[in-house]
Amino acid sequence: MHVEPWKGLKEHLGQNRFLANLSYSYGLLTIQIEYRKLDSSYVVMFRSPTLFRVMDEGDLLRFQSQFEGPVFASSFIFELFDTELINFCYEERDRSMDKEKYCHFAVVSDDDFVEIVTYDDEPTITAIDL
């Protein structure tokens, strides 16, 4: 498995970020990340995610320990490649879907970690000045 900042985000801001809001309604997952010192916020939306889970800082630290160095310090959204979660989703669908179309994302704040698996879809990100 390897992790990269998501290519769809033009700028990658560092730490001092927090999860301001998370909602899931009618198949739309919305996550708002705010930066404490920058007066800026980002709303990340996923349409009909295959799977998502919210974890706390302890889970983030355990996940981070698989890598050398702080891989989640450079941005708030990452794409993860060759993961067990993609394999799980593929197996659960009786291998009837194209495995290459699954995408695994992580939206990361300083205290929370949200993993999202989508099928043939990428997030929409909107920047908001506070």
Side-chain angles (χ1 to χ4, degrees):
M1 167 179 32
H2 77 276
V3 176
E4 295 177 8
W6 183 54
K7 64 186 179 326
L9 186 63
K10 304 268 185 283
E11 59 182 332
H12 294 280
L13 302 172
Q15 296 176 339
N16 286 324
R17 66 224 159 165
F18 67 96
L19 181 71
N21 189 22
L22 185 144
S23 66
Y24 181 72
S25 180
Y26 299 105
L28 181 66
L29 175 63
T30 304
I31 304 165
Q32 183 175 350
I33 297 290
E34 290 187 11
Y35 282 85
R36 290 179 175 91
K37 294 183 179 179
L38 300 177
D39 292 330
S40 63
S41 178
Y42 293 87
V43 176
V44 183
M45 293 178 286
F46 294 90
R47 290 173 301 281
S48 301
T50 302
L51 177 147
F52 73 92
R53 61 183 176 183
V54 181
M55 298 180 287
D56 65 11
E57 183 180 15
D59 295 311
L60 173 60
L61 292 173
R62 277 191 291 283
F63 194 84
Q64 171 80 36
S65 70
Q66 300 176 60
F67 307 98
E68 288 189 29
V71 297
F72 295 117
S74 63
S75 185
F76 67 87
I77 185 166
F78 299 86
E79 188 167 359
L80 293 76
F81 299 90
D82 303 319
T83 67
E84 289 300 317
L85 211 47
I86 287 177
N87 292 334
F88 172 79
C89 291
Y90 176 68
E91 295 293 328
E92 284 295 305
R93 299 280 180 154
D94 298 324
R95 300 178 183 206
S96 62
M97 310 293 259
D98 182 358
K99 188 175 181 180
E100 300 302 315
K101 290 186 178 183
Y102 281 102
C103 296
H104 186 175
F105 296 96
V107 176
V108 180
S109 74
D110 293 350
D111 301 319
D112 300 287
F113 180 66
V114 184
E115 285 187 281
I116 305 99
V117 176
T118 64
Y119 185 79
D120 201 23
D121 193 25
E122 292 186 334
T124 301
I125 300 177
T126 305
I128 301 170
D129 290 330
L130 300 176

